[in-house]
Amino acid sequence: MIRLLGLLILFPLFAIGQIPIEENRYLDSLRKVAQNKNMGDSSRALANYFISGFFSKTDVKQARIYLKEANKLAKEHPFLLAGVPFYEAAFLPDDDERGLILYKKADSLLAKFTTDEAYLFRSKIWLNYASVLQLNDKQTEAVNTIISKSIPLTKKGKGDILLYFMYADLATLLSNIGQNNQSKAYFSMAIDGLKKAKSNSSRVAAVYVDASSTLCLLKEYKQAAAMLDEARKRLVQFPKSPINSHFYAAESMYLNKTSAYKKALISADKGLSLASELHTEYMNHGLLLEKLESFSKLKNYRAAEKVFYELQQDEMFQSLSNVRRNAYKTIAQVYAADKQFPNAYFWMEQYSRLNDSISESNIKKEIYEMEIRFRNQENLHNISMLKSQKAEAEFSAANNRLMSWLLAVAVLFFLLLLFLVLLNYQKNRRLARQEKISYKQQLKELAQQKQLQVGSALIEGEERERKRMARDLHDGLGGLLAGVRLHLSALFMKTGSQTSETEMAIMGQLDSSLSELRRVAKNMMPETLIKFGLEQAILDLCMSYSSPKLKIEFQPFGIKTDLPEKNQIMIYRIIQEILANAVRHASASTIMLQCSQNENIFLITAEDDGKGFDTDQKIATAGMGLENIKARVEYLNGKLDLSSKPNEGTIINIELDVCKTS
């Protein structure tokens, strides 16, 4: 589940880590400061900047008025004017990359100020910069910005509480790109720091919420539940906070991970309802993702499909490739379970394409390198501080030795850490390759299933058409010819004279036509098969192909009479094609045919003493007869083995699955 950074974009420079919950009270207090002429110009200017930021997304015209008044009051205060590009960025959409230019400009103007206030201002500018990067799916750059810019500036400005929240923001970003172990470590640092500082703002609850999601991804469900409980306690005093929607998304995720899918749906719906009430629909994609997961596990495929459609309409969903990738995989599994194989194939292909475009292993490597650089910078800073303290100490020699030992231990520790990181990186690369192979195999299997379905439909259609044509020939044309013969017989008998040779020839031709018609109809759909079963039908088929020049020996063993009719027809057609091929092409004098059944397995063995053929060449240029046999064998989930050599005859072995559920 993708989580956003803090809401500092909507409320720039508001109290550190604090999100306004009661908007009217917040605005009233700011307006009192802005309108109080007894207050200094700098305080009034800052209040107007805050009000401008508050309205920047909802009432641009009014926001511009407050910004203009703020600039007017701040004209004698260079520090405040240096932050104007930051406030201008608030008027842009949250993901507009033009904001990056404005944030860089504001940081450049503020760089000449060396106060703690300036450092903290700049740290929050870079935090907003990272948020824009994240919304544009540049996760790695966002992580680098927080590590190399925001955190060092926050430390320089001695903003301890802000630092703890930045650790939480960094942990959230790391979790978004799959670095859950590192994310857990930063969440631990953030929570420990906030506990010591005894911070009680609503954003503390958000830290616990995000930590629970990361723990769920690490399958540490007991700890995740504890984090949710801590968040729930703190959100009681903020019933209308947007963080409540975020809480419900995390709770739904936890319930899905622990197989409580119906409860997960209830939590997700609560979050969506609250997001609609508070106009914070940007959180909807996370809640909808959990609903998609719940409906998928509950096998409510129609509902899952509907939720996926809602997700596709969500702008935030479309902008985050990791979110789309997870949703595509889930909906592909839903369609596959629902036997909608074309849709399953399409979305699995979309997932595979998107998965290939996201180089997770490279991202992990870059994150590790960033963390190492960040740690090295911190170590260099610590070493410098220790050297300064050593110069002031009375026992400089002892301190030098101690420092050497500490440095040696640190180097060994980081070498060990680097070694473990490299091992983990190699492991993740192997897992990524295996996962890619698995997905390609799934795509191949889906394509094969689709091809088999088409082939089965063609075979069933062919048999229906044979039945219809056999019935039409026998009942229609056969009846007409029989009627013609009766009328001719009656006409010839009326003449009273002896039947002439011409009349006899006509009657003979009619009898031959009727016989040929019956033979064709019987070949298309044998009556013996319908009336007396498969074994008798095969025996009649063998007798029909037998002649003085061709002897067919049929040996049946244990053929059951309760086989489904369509399976009997498939077996009959396979044997019919085998005998026809032997008669037409093999020039055989003897054919031995064995048919046996063992439970759901039906075995066919046909051996002739014909002229045989080269199997490699023959299979490469196989005609319709052999292709028809293969298609029907595949229809019954069977296996075909053909063995032949020139002048040595042919042996065909077939194994079929004839269970009643076929």
Side-chain angles (χ1 to χ4, degrees):
M1 182 179 71
I2 296 293
R3 299 177 293 279
L4 297 180
L5 291 172
L7 301 179
L8 291 170
I9 294 174
L10 298 180
F11 306 101
L13 286 181
F14 193 73
I16 295 171
Q18 178 73 40
I19 300 171
I21 304 304
E22 298 179 20
E23 294 179 357
N24 290 333
R25 186 190 300 175
Y26 171 68
L27 282 174
D28 287 342
S29 62
L30 289 177
R31 281 172 174 152
K32 286 178 181 178
V33 174
Q35 294 169 7
N36 188 349
K37 294 185 179 180
N38 293 324
M39 300 289 289
D41 287 348
S42 60
S43 298
R44 294 176 62 202
L46 194 57
N48 278 284
Y49 282 133
F50 280 3
I51 298 172
S52 172
F54 184 85
F55 287 113
S56 60
K57 296 295 187 294
T58 57
D59 190 344
V60 176
K61 185 176 180 181
Q62 190 173 5
R64 288 287 183 189
I65 294 172
Y66 281 108
L67 181 61
K68 184 177 179 180
E69 178 64 19
N71 291 340
K72 180 180 176 182
L73 291 167
K75 63 183 179 179
E76 300 297 328
H77 301 277
F79 175 77
L80 293 179
L81 289 176
V84 170
F86 174 83
Y87 301 114
E88 288 283 354
F91 292 92
L92 298 173
D94 294 342
D95 60 348
D96 195 327
E97 292 193 348
R98 289 177 296 174
L100 301 178
I101 299 172
L102 292 171
Y103 290 137
K104 282 185 176 180
K105 183 178 179 181
D107 180 73
S108 177
L109 293 171
L110 287 164
K112 60 185 178 181
F113 298 97
T114 57
T115 63
D116 290 347
E117 186 180 8
Y119 293 138
L120 294 179
F121 196 164
R122 291 174 62 198
S123 72
K124 285 180 279 187
I125 288 174
W126 285 109
L127 186 62
N128 280 24
Y129 186 96
S131 182
V132 175
L133 290 173
Q134 185 199 17
L135 292 173
N136 282 279
D137 216 17
K138 297 177 180 178
Q139 310 289 345
T140 307
E141 292 180 38
V143 170
N144 188 31
T145 299
I146 294 178
I147 288 176
S148 63
K149 297 289 187 180
S150 293
I151 290 177
L153 285 168
T154 304
K155 289 183 176 181
K156 207 169 184 180
K158 302 180 179 63
D160 291 341
I161 294 179
L162 178 59
L163 177 64
Y164 303 141
F165 284 125
M166 284 187 178
Y167 283 154
D169 290 334
L170 178 57
T172 299
L173 268 176
L174 289 168
S175 181
N176 289 344
I177 56 178
Q179 303 298 292
N180 295 311
N181 287 318
Q182 291 90 330
S183 174
K184 178 184 174 183
Y186 279 106
F187 272 126
S188 180
M189 292 166 62
I191 291 171
D192 289 344
L194 290 169
K195 283 181 178 178
K196 290 177 183 178
K198 298 182 179 179
S199 177
N200 196 34
S201 72
S202 61
R203 198 178 170 203
V204 175
V207 174
Y208 282 105
V209 169
D210 285 339
S212 74
S213 298
T214 295
L215 290 167
C216 279
L217 295 173
L218 289 169
K219 299 182 180 179
E220 297 179 11
Y221 302 125
K222 186 176 180 180
Q223 296 91 323
M227 291 293 115
L228 287 174
D229 288 340
E230 289 294 332
R232 190 182 292 108
K233 292 175 187 176
R234 285 164 173 76
L235 287 172
V236 170
Q237 57 185 314
F238 305 111
K240 295 301 180 181
S241 168
I243 295 170
N244 283 284
S245 295
H246 195 31
F247 170 84
Y248 287 126
E251 184 180 61
S252 181
M253 181 186 190
Y254 166 76
L255 292 169
N256 274 328
K257 293 290 186 182
T258 54
S259 304
Y261 305 121
K262 292 183 179 179
K263 291 182 179 179
L265 285 173
I266 294 172
S267 291
D269 285 334
K270 286 180 180 178
L272 289 168
S273 176
L274 186 60
S276 176
E277 180 183 347
L278 300 177
H279 305 292
T280 55
E281 286 80 6
Y282 61 84
M283 292 186 178
N284 282 1
H285 69 282
L287 293 158
L288 290 172
L289 274 174
E290 296 306 328
K291 286 191 71 173
L292 177 63
E293 179 70 11
S294 300
F295 283 129
S296 172
K297 296 297 185 183
L298 291 169
K299 299 183 179 180
N300 190 342
Y301 304 133
R302 300 286 79 77
E305 190 175 16
K306 183 179 178 182
V307 171
F308 181 68
Y309 177 79
E310 290 182 57
L311 265 173
Q312 289 180 291
Q313 313 309 310
D314 189 284
E315 292 182 2
M316 187 67 70
F317 170 79
Q318 294 297 338
S319 69
L320 298 170
S321 57
N322 282 344
V323 176
R324 286 187 288 119
R325 180 180 60 173
N326 294 337
Y328 291 167
K329 182 179 180 181
T330 302
I331 197 64
Q333 292 170 343
V334 166
Y335 281 129
D338 198 29
K339 297 183 179 179
Q340 296 188 42
F341 295 113
N343 286 337
Y345 180 86
F346 173 81
W347 287 111
M348 184 62 74
E349 191 174 38
Q350 297 300 312
Y351 167 77
S352 181
R353 184 180 295 116
L354 188 57
N355 192 54
D356 289 344
S357 70
I358 301 174
S359 179
E360 292 184 344
S361 60
N362 288 338
I363 289 175
K364 291 175 182 177
K365 182 179 178 181
E366 290 175 20
I367 296 301
Y368 287 133
E369 290 174 351
M370 288 176 200
E371 281 202 292
I372 290 171
R373 288 198 301 269
F374 173 57
R375 300 294 187 190
N376 287 338
Q377 289 174 0
E378 285 195 322
N379 288 337
L380 290 172
H381 177 71
N382 291 335
I383 291 169
S384 177
M385 292 292 294
L386 288 171
K387 284 182 178 179
S388 176
Q389 293 172 4
K390 179 191 64 176
E392 298 174 359
E394 291 184 3
F395 306 102
S396 58
N399 285 340
N400 278 331
R401 287 194 297 272
L402 178 61
M403 189 62 200
S404 297
W405 279 107
L406 289 174
L407 186 58
V409 170
V411 169
L412 288 174
F413 172 78
F414 281 109
L415 285 174
L416 178 62
L417 179 61
L418 182 61
F419 175 74
L420 293 175
V421 165
L422 289 173
L423 284 179
N424 192 44
Y425 170 68
Q426 292 294 332
K427 178 183 176 182
N428 288 334
R429 283 191 64 185
R430 288 195 297 273
L431 290 175
R433 285 197 297 268
Q434 292 172 0
E435 188 178 9
K436 186 175 182 180
I437 292 170
S438 174
Y439 293 142
K440 287 183 178 179
Q441 182 63 29
Q442 290 181 29
L443 291 173
K444 183 178 179 181
E445 289 174 359
L446 286 171
Q448 289 175 347
Q449 288 179 359
K450 183 177 180 182
Q451 184 178 2
L452 183 59
Q453 284 183 327
V454 172
S456 299
L458 289 173
I459 290 173
E460 291 177 358
E462 179 184 341
E463 291 303 330
R464 286 196 297 270
E465 188 63 14
R466 281 175 177 265
K467 283 185 180 180
R468 186 190 66 77
M469 291 182 67
R471 184 173 60 252
D472 291 347
L473 287 172
H474 185 276
D475 297 339
L477 186 57
L480 290 173
L481 288 174
V484 170
R485 188 185 189 289
L486 288 173
H487 285 302
L488 283 175
S489 296
L491 181 64
F492 293 158
M493 291 177 66
K494 283 183 181 181
T495 58
S497 60
Q498 188 174 1
T499 304
S500 65
E501 290 183 4
T502 301
E503 292 170 345
M504 290 290 290
I506 292 171
M507 294 297 290
Q509 288 177 349
L510 275 173
D511 288 339
S512 297
S513 298
L514 279 168
S515 297
E516 179 63 18
L517 182 64
R518 291 190 187 99
R519 187 191 68 79
V520 172
K522 180 179 179 182
N523 187 50
M524 297 188 75
M525 186 50 63
E527 294 180 0
T528 308
L529 179 64
I530 306 302
K531 293 181 179 179
F532 303 106
L534 178 61
E535 184 174 331
Q536 186 61 43
I538 296 173
L539 181 61
D540 286 356
L541 181 64
C542 292
M543 292 177 64
S544 69
Y545 277 101
S546 297
S547 68
K549 295 183 179 181
L550 176 62
K551 179 183 177 182
I552 301 177
E553 182 180 353
F554 173 49
Q555 299 175 355
F557 300 99
I559 299 177
K560 296 182 180 179
T561 58
D562 61 346
L563 287 174
E565 183 179 315
K566 65 177 181 179
N567 290 352
Q568 294 187 46
I569 293 172
M570 287 298 109
I571 295 170
Y572 181 88
R573 294 297 179 208
I574 290 170
I575 295 173
Q576 189 178 39
E577 286 287 352
I578 291 172
L579 295 178
N581 285 344
V583 170
R584 284 197 296 266
H585 306 300
S587 300
S589 60
T590 303
I591 300 174
M592 191 276 288
L593 176 66
Q594 285 186 349
C595 293
S596 62
Q597 184 176 352
N598 182 14
E599 298 297 332
N600 294 331
I601 303 301
F602 195 97
L603 302 173
I604 302 171
T605 300
E607 182 176 357
D608 66 61
D609 61 355
K611 58 186 180 181
F613 57 89
D614 186 345
T615 55
D616 292 337
Q617 183 179 0
K618 186 71 175 179
I619 291 173
T621 58
M624 288 298 295
L626 185 57
E627 289 300 322
N628 285 339
I629 293 173
K630 287 182 177 179
R632 287 176 168 82
V633 169
E634 289 178 357
Y635 179 83
L636 291 177
N637 299 319
K639 301 175 183 177
L640 170 66
D641 179 53
L642 189 149
S643 175
S644 182
K645 291 182 180 180
N647 302 317
E648 292 185 13
T650 302
I651 300 175
I652 298 176
N653 290 300
I654 297 174
E655 179 180 325
L656 304 172
D657 183 359
V658 292
C659 62
K660 293 183 180 182
T661 57
S662 297

